[in-house]
Amino acid sequence: MAIRFPLVTPLGFQILTDRLNPVLKTLHYRERHVIKMLYGMESFDDDGFTHEQAGEVYELTATRIRQIESVVFRKMRTPKRLRMLADFFDTASRLKTPERFLRFISRIQGV
């Protein structure tokens, strides 16, 4: 039985981002930055941007940001990246995982 911690903590957030960063570094800079903005992976207190807000940063439409997001999740489902994500999934199952990370995980898994 996995031990689950009761609260999302800055340390837990840092552990999850440390497990995720090697996989994100395999993406192009803009793809990586868009995902981090949308899913609030920049800091513990960050709830994430909307597609419109992320589009303003890059001077793109919300639709283009959604397309970039789609490409990222398609890339994340490749066997190589899924192997790299195994440690992230394992850690997320043991920690009290922030909602934004759960949304990210469900998108990777195609749920």
Side-chain angles (χ1 to χ4, degrees), residues 4-8 12-13 16-17 20 35 38-41 46-47 69 73 77 88-111:
R4 289 191 60 93
F5 296 94
L7 299 172
V8 177
F13 175 84
L16 286 169
T17 55
L20 187 59
I35 288 299
L38 291 176
Y39 291 90
M41 296 178 188
D46 187 6
D47 286 331
E69 182 184 26
F73 285 115
R77 291 185 194 109
F88 171 73
F89 292 145
D90 180 56
T91 303
S93 71
R94 287 183 282 120
L95 295 175
K96 177 70 175 161
T97 306
E99 180 63 34
R100 58 188 180 245
F101 280 97
L102 294 175
R103 284 185 292 122
F104 180 75
I105 290 168
S106 68
R107 287 290 308 271
I108 291 172
Q109 295 174 337
V111 178

Side-chain angles (χ1 to χ4, degrees), residues 25-60:
K25 286 181 180 179
T26 67
L27 302 170
H28 293 289
Y29 172 79
R30 184 167 63 177
E31 293 171 339
R32 179 174 57 245
H33 194 240
V34 165
I35 288 299
K36 284 184 167 189
M37 285 191 307
L38 291 176
Y39 291 90
M41 296 178 188
E42 295 290 331
S43 73
F44 178 69
D45 298 325
D46 187 6
D47 286 331
F49 285 51
T50 64
H51 290 91
E52 291 78 15
Q53 291 168 330
E56 289 173 12
V57 171
Y58 280 103
E59 297 181 2
L60 299 170

Side-chain angles (χ1 to χ4, degrees), residues 9-21:
T9 63
L11 178 61
F13 175 84
Q14 187 61 46
I15 290 169
L16 286 169
T17 55
D18 287 349
R19 300 288 192 278
L20 187 59
N21 279 333

Side-chain angles (χ1 to χ4, degrees), residues 22-28 31 71-87 89 108:
V23 181
L24 293 178
K25 286 181 180 179
T26 67
L27 302 170
H28 293 289
E31 293 171 339
V71 166
V72 167
F73 285 115
R74 194 168 39 252
K75 286 181 176 183
M76 293 295 226
R77 291 185 194 109
T78 62
K80 176 185 172 188
R81 288 189 179 102
L82 284 174
R83 280 191 302 275
M84 293 175 74
L85 284 166
D87 192 33
F89 292 145
I108 291 172

